[in-house]
Every structure is written in C-alpha cells, then in structure tokens.
Amino acid sequence: MALIAIYIDDNGKCQPIDAEKDIPNTFAAEFKKYKLCKISVADVADKDVEKDINKALEKWAKTDEAQKDDLKKETKKAKEERQDKEGAAKDTESDEKAKEKDKYDANKKAIKDDPTLNPAQKTKKGREEDERHNKADGAIIKKKSDAIDKAKEEEKDRIKKFKDKQEKPPAISIKCTPDPAVCGDAKCKLTSFGEIEVNNKKQITTTTVDITNIAQFSKNHLYFCTCGKK
C-alpha cells in the first residue's frame, strides 16, 4: 500500500488513505487540484500507520487530559500563592506608610514648636522634612511594587517548571517522497486541509505544515504531500 494521505477524523482517529476515492467528500474536490508525492511516517511501515498512530493518539489523549487537569490545579495554587504575596506586600506598605506618616507628623510638629528656630529656619527644615517624607513614601511604594513583580515572576516560573516536567507528546515525523515524473525538480511539502466557516459558508483551509509530534495533528484534517497544483 502506497499512502497518498492521512486523515484525522472528527473523533481524532487516524485513517491512512491509498486511493483518491477514499478521500473524505469535504476535501475531495480540492484534493484533485494537487500533484501528489508519496506520504509516509518515518520508521513506520505503511501497513502499520493506522495501528501505530491511533495507539499513540489514544495514549496521548489520556495523558494530555490528565496533564491539563494537573496543570490547572498547579496554576490555581501558583495564583493563590502569588495573591497571598501581593496581599502581604500591600499590608506591609500600609503599615510602613502609617509609621512614616506618624514620623512625618511628629517631625513637622517638632519643627513648628522648636523655640530655637526662626521662621526662615523652620521653613527650610519643613521643606527638608517634606523631601525626606516624599522619598521615604516613594521607597515604600517601590518596595511593594518590586515585591508584587517578584511574586508574578515566581508564579510564571513555577508554572513553567511544572510544564517542563510534564510528559511530552510522542514524536512523529511525516516524510514526503517526490515523484520526479510528477514533480520534476520541485520540492514536496506536507500540506493539510481543514474546514472553517466564513459568513455561514464552509471553506477549505490549505496550510503547509511540519508534523513533529502527535499533538500537532488536528481533528477533521487531511494531511498529504504535494509539489504544487496541477
């Protein structure tokens, strides 16, 4: 059997195709417009493509579903931890601002009540205290902002590390073998047909793809190798 296409149906099952008559009706008319190259799966005999790919798809579907649930739980925990840290940073800001305000009020009162200072000196010292207070307030706000930024980065890093530890989808390599009699020197490219709805009308999408793992397959998509239109 020489494959001309691989179809992933609506249920996510693989259907190898070796004859144009077996192309799904959705894509049949468009498919006839293309010159064909042989399509194959690296390290898998054509007769085993359906069995091997479906086995990998089925296993990955279960693994992926479980991992998505795990990631969802981990993301929730990371978010809660980040929110706790943000809350703590805001509480610290509030406490430190209150203490700074008390210090500022006390200092301003001391300047005002100091009998050893003349009016000009009181004005000068008052301005200096205003500057000190504004800088202190700014430092407190920056401290909170830095803590929140750090919490956000830690959240992202935690989720990324969790994702990195999760199982990756099985590797797969689709190979295209051109037929010189059909393609000449033209390169053969893996192409996919999909279907979308635009203005209540269904249209075929044509995309050049590179399949390197099982997760890159899409439901109701036809994959074939071509060196261009006829």
Side-chain angles (χ1 to χ4, degrees):
M1 159 170 93
L3 300 182
I4 61 171
I6 292 174
Y7 176 57
I8 306 298
D9 66 21
D10 287 329
N11 297 314
K13 294 288 186 180
C14 167
Q15 297 178 15
I17 297 173
D18 62 358
E20 281 199 31
K21 65 181 178 64
D22 295 325
I23 297 294
N25 291 335
T26 301
F27 308 118
E30 189 67 20
F31 185 78
K32 291 177 180 179
K33 299 176 183 178
Y34 287 82
K35 300 175 185 177
L36 300 180
C37 310
K38 181 183 176 183
I39 184 172
S40 60
V41 180
D43 302 320
V44 178
D46 287 354
K47 65 181 178 64
D48 296 327
V49 166
E50 183 174 8
K51 173 176 64 72
D52 287 7
I53 289 184
N54 278 330
K55 183 178 179 181
L57 285 168
E58 184 177 353
K59 180 179 182 297
W60 175 245
K62 293 177 181 177
T63 301
D64 190 38
E65 184 178 359
Q67 290 192 155
K68 283 178 179 177
D69 286 341
D70 291 341
L71 180 59
K72 187 176 180 180
K73 292 174 184 175
E74 182 67 14
T75 299
K76 182 181 178 183
K77 290 178 182 177
K79 180 180 178 181
E80 289 172 348
E81 184 178 58
R82 186 254 302 161
Q83 289 174 332
D84 287 344
K85 290 177 179 178
E86 287 180 345
K90 290 175 183 177
D91 289 342
T92 298
E93 177 196 40
S94 181
D95 290 343
E96 291 183 348
K97 273 194 166 188
K99 290 177 182 177
E100 172 54 34
K101 181 66 166 57
D102 289 343
K103 180 179 179 180
Y104 173 69
D105 290 343
N107 288 348
K108 290 287 278 190
K109 186 177 185 303
I111 293 169
K112 180 182 177 182
D113 295 343
D114 190 342
T116 66
L117 299 176
N118 61 42
Q121 290 173 320
K122 287 183 179 183
T123 298
K124 181 175 180 296
K125 283 190 170 293
R127 287 175 180 168
E128 290 173 349
E129 177 57 22
D130 289 342
E131 289 179 7
R132 185 206 64 77
H133 172 64
N134 289 335
K135 286 182 181 179
D137 248 9
I140 292 169
I141 293 171
K142 185 177 184 304
K143 179 180 176 182
K144 178 204 69 175
S145 296
D146 288 347
I148 289 176
D149 288 344
K150 182 181 178 183
K152 289 178 179 177
E153 287 301 316
E154 288 173 344
E155 177 188 25
K156 290 179 184 177
D157 189 52
R158 176 174 173 172
I159 294 171
K160 182 181 181 300
K161 286 180 178 178
F162 189 84
K163 283 182 179 179
D164 289 343
K165 289 180 181 179
Q166 288 189 310
E167 185 177 338
K168 302 299 182 288
I172 185 173
S173 178
I174 307 297
K175 296 175 65 179
C176 292
T177 305
D179 181 349
V182 175
C183 300
D185 295 330
K187 290 185 178 180
C188 205
K189 297 179 180 179
L190 180 61
T191 303
S192 76
F193 282 162
E195 188 178 48
I196 59 173
E197 193 167 292
V198 179
N199 297 326
N200 296 320
K201 291 183 180 180
K202 291 184 177 180
Q203 295 183 5
I204 304 300
T205 61
T206 306
T207 311
T208 299
V209 294
D210 181 22
I211 301 295
T212 58
N213 67 64
I214 285 293
Q216 290 174 310
F217 277 130
S218 297
K219 292 180 180 179
N220 193 26
H221 271 63
L222 182 74
Y223 298 88
F224 63 101
C225 290
T226 179
C227 53
K229 287 190 175 182
K230 294 178 180 177

